Amino acid sequence: MANPSILILAGDGIGPEVMSEVRKIIDWFAAKRQIKFNVSEDLVGGAAYDVHGVPLADETMAKAMSVDAVLLGAVGGPKYDKLDFAVKPERGLLRLRKEMDLFSNLRPAQCFGALADFSSLKKDIVAGLDIMIVRELTGGIYFGEPRGIFPDNDGGRVGINTQRYTTEEIRRVARSAFELARRRGNKVCSMEKANVMESGILWREEVTWVHENEYADVELSHMYADAGAMQLVRWPKQFDVIVTDNLFGDILSDTAAMLTGSLGMLPSASLGAPGKNGRPKALYEPVHGSAPDIAGTGKANPIACILSFAMALRYSFDLGDEATRVEQAVEKVLADGLRTADLMGPDGGKPVSTSEMGNAIRQALDASV
Ligand code: IPM
Ligand code: MG
């Protein structure tokens, strides 16, 4: 059988730097575990715009559709701020999500023991935190029609976006949240604004329907998203899996990310429905952005991107034990006090560059076999 295939889209800013460290880990698996991937690379975001005049070329889109998993670095940067909306770097990412139909976005927020002091919250509130936000990723206000900026009757203009969710869009993401919960703490909290939005009322009804008919063994609660944001910073450990729509999920996942101390630590997986081979279409990316201010300085933290590859091992390649091996290697280097610039906090620690961090994680992997 052919080796499983991975398409790397490193993108902009710190994307290429952190992705180089992931390459070291991929190479390690080939050399030390005989787990070989067929890796190809292409352009996305501003990097693609510079070459093709669009943030994602059709050929790249076609490649993404044909591989087993896509690994993406980051997109965007000040150089591209003034571009037309339709060719902005972010549109490349949104096209991938939409055309690959990656409706379920898994954003774990885990607080590593060695970093509990780095959170902006008190240590006992975040130590040991392990929650999973499941964000709907292909619907809602990000894609709803009508949308646009139009002339208004009073001579001004009107900007319009539409929040729109169908039964099936809600049910499928709810199922993926319940499935995850069964393998974790068996609790799901669904967040919407059913008090002011009809789409929120439907969301609550459909999540409840899936629960009653298919997952009654899982504990389900509902919260308005604003109260949910408040609870996330008040006592985040009350949550196990949170399921929410595209826009609320965007906001709540940044909040949850910061609980853990640094955005530089958090991976994500965006999954579609399982295909003929049983594997879902999948894209893995760090939650952090392109951080143009530190690009090229060796300050970027490669851990989020490396942990995103670990998620690929778990969710695309059924290599959960190998994913755990990577996660433990990361824990080890953090416990040893290695710190990229974003992690230089209260406890001092040993400052390391992007590539030194990657090397240290590879060494910790060596020690694990
Ligand atoms: C995210 C980002 C994206 C989003 C941007 C870059 C389009 O904020 O993945 O959370 O809004 O979804
Ligand atoms: Mg976001």
Side-chain angles (χ1 to χ4, degrees), residues 75 89-91 93-94 97 105 107 135 137 142 246-247 249-251 253-254 268 285-289:
V75 295
E90 291 78 8
R91 303 311 301 173
L93 175 58
L94 293 169
R97 289 174 178 173
N105 180 213
R107 298 192 164 188
R135 167 187 176 192
L137 201 61
Y142 271 60
N246 204 342
L247 182 61
D250 181 44
I251 297 164
S253 64
D254 266 22
S268 78
E285 58 176 318
V287 169
H288 64 68

Side-chain angles (χ1 to χ4, degrees), residues 4-8 26 37-40 67-71 309 317:
S5 52
I6 293 180
L7 172 64
I8 289 185
I26 295 177
F37 296 97
N38 185 356
V39 181
S40 54
V67 294
D68 294 312
V70 177
L71 291 184
F309 173 64
F317 304 120

Side-chain angles (χ1 to χ4, degrees), residues 96-97 181 183 191 223 246-247 320 342-343:
L96 283 163
R97 289 174 178 173
R183 286 185 266 139
M191 296 187 187
M223 241 180 232
N246 204 342
L247 182 61
D342 56 310
L343 302 177

Side-chain angles (χ1 to χ4, degrees), residues 236-353:
K237 284 187 235 174
Q238 70 187 281
F239 297 113
D240 176 28
V241 174
I242 293 172
V243 63
T244 189
D245 76 16
N246 204 342
L247 182 61
F248 294 142
D250 181 44
I251 297 164
L252 294 170
S253 64
D254 266 22
T255 307
M258 205 52 222
L259 301 176
T260 69
S262 171
L263 263 180
M265 298 293 302
L266 293 178
S268 78
S270 304
L271 307 175
K276 285 199 200 79
N277 58 6
R279 285 184 184 142
K281 285 223 178 327
L283 180 145
Y284 300 87
E285 58 176 318
V287 169
H288 64 68
S290 59
D293 50 321
I294 59 162
T297 63
K299 284 189 183 150
N301 182 351
I303 291 180
C305 206
I306 289 173
L307 291 176
S308 298
F309 173 64
M311 289 188 90
L313 292 173
R314 178 170 289 121
Y315 293 107
S316 284
F317 304 120
D318 213 14
L319 293 168
D321 291 346
E322 300 300 334
T324 305
R325 183 190 300 284
V326 175
E327 288 155 1
Q328 284 172 348
V330 168
E331 255 171 72
K332 166 85 172 55
V333 302
L334 292 174
D336 288 349
L338 269 59
R339 301 282 184 261
T340 43
D342 56 310
L343 302 177
M344 289 310 294
D347 70 344
K350 179 171 184 291
V352 293
S353 67

